[in-house]
């Protein structure tokens, strides 16, 4: 009897935050990796972080927006 081995689809990306438990709202270069050109927060399936880290990233981005460190939109809509 032959055993079939399934290949993994896609590739496993390393977690951008590693084992970090704290996401600083003042670390703007890190936070900008998690927003697109329009200023939207990227989903976990694109960034490769865990659910807990995604919630911490979203909270840090929203806090940085509130303090005017990050823009709410990426460009001026006309």
């Amino acid at each position: 009897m032959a055993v079939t081995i399934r290949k993994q689809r896609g590739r496993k990306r390393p977690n951008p935050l590693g084992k970090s438990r704290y996401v600083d709202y003042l670390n703007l270069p890190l936070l900008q990796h998690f927003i697109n050109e329009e200023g939207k927060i990227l989903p976990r399936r694109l960034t490769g972080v865990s659910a807990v880290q995604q919630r911490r990233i979203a909270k840090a981005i929203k806090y940085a927006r509130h303090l005017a460190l990050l823009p709410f939109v990426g460009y001026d809509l006309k």
Side-chain angles (χ1 to χ4, degrees):
M1 186 172 7
V3 177
T4 59
I5 299 173
R6 289 210 260 151
K7 291 183 180 179
Q8 283 186 338
R9 294 182 187 232
R11 99 189 144 123
K12 181 81 173 167
R13 278 188 272 174
N15 192 333
L17 294 178
K19 299 273 183 186
S20 175
R21 299 189 67 192
Y22 183 68
V23 178
D24 190 15
Y25 66 92
L26 293 174
N27 191 354
L28 299 181
L30 176 71
L31 293 180
Q32 288 185 348
H33 287 288
F34 299 103
I35 59 175
N36 64 7
E37 299 84 28
E38 297 173 353
K40 295 181 180 181
I41 300 173
L42 294 174
R44 312 181 29 213
R45 61 185 163 79
L46 293 180
T47 58
V49 295
S50 69
V52 173
Q53 290 171 333
Q54 179 70 19
R55 286 193 292 270
R56 290 179 180 159
I57 289 167
K59 187 170 273 202
I61 289 172
K62 291 174 184 178
Y63 194 67
R65 285 176 178 167
H66 183 72
L67 294 176
L69 300 173
L70 286 176
F72 281 92
V73 292
Y75 56 89
D76 190 20
L77 300 174
K78 287 189 177 186

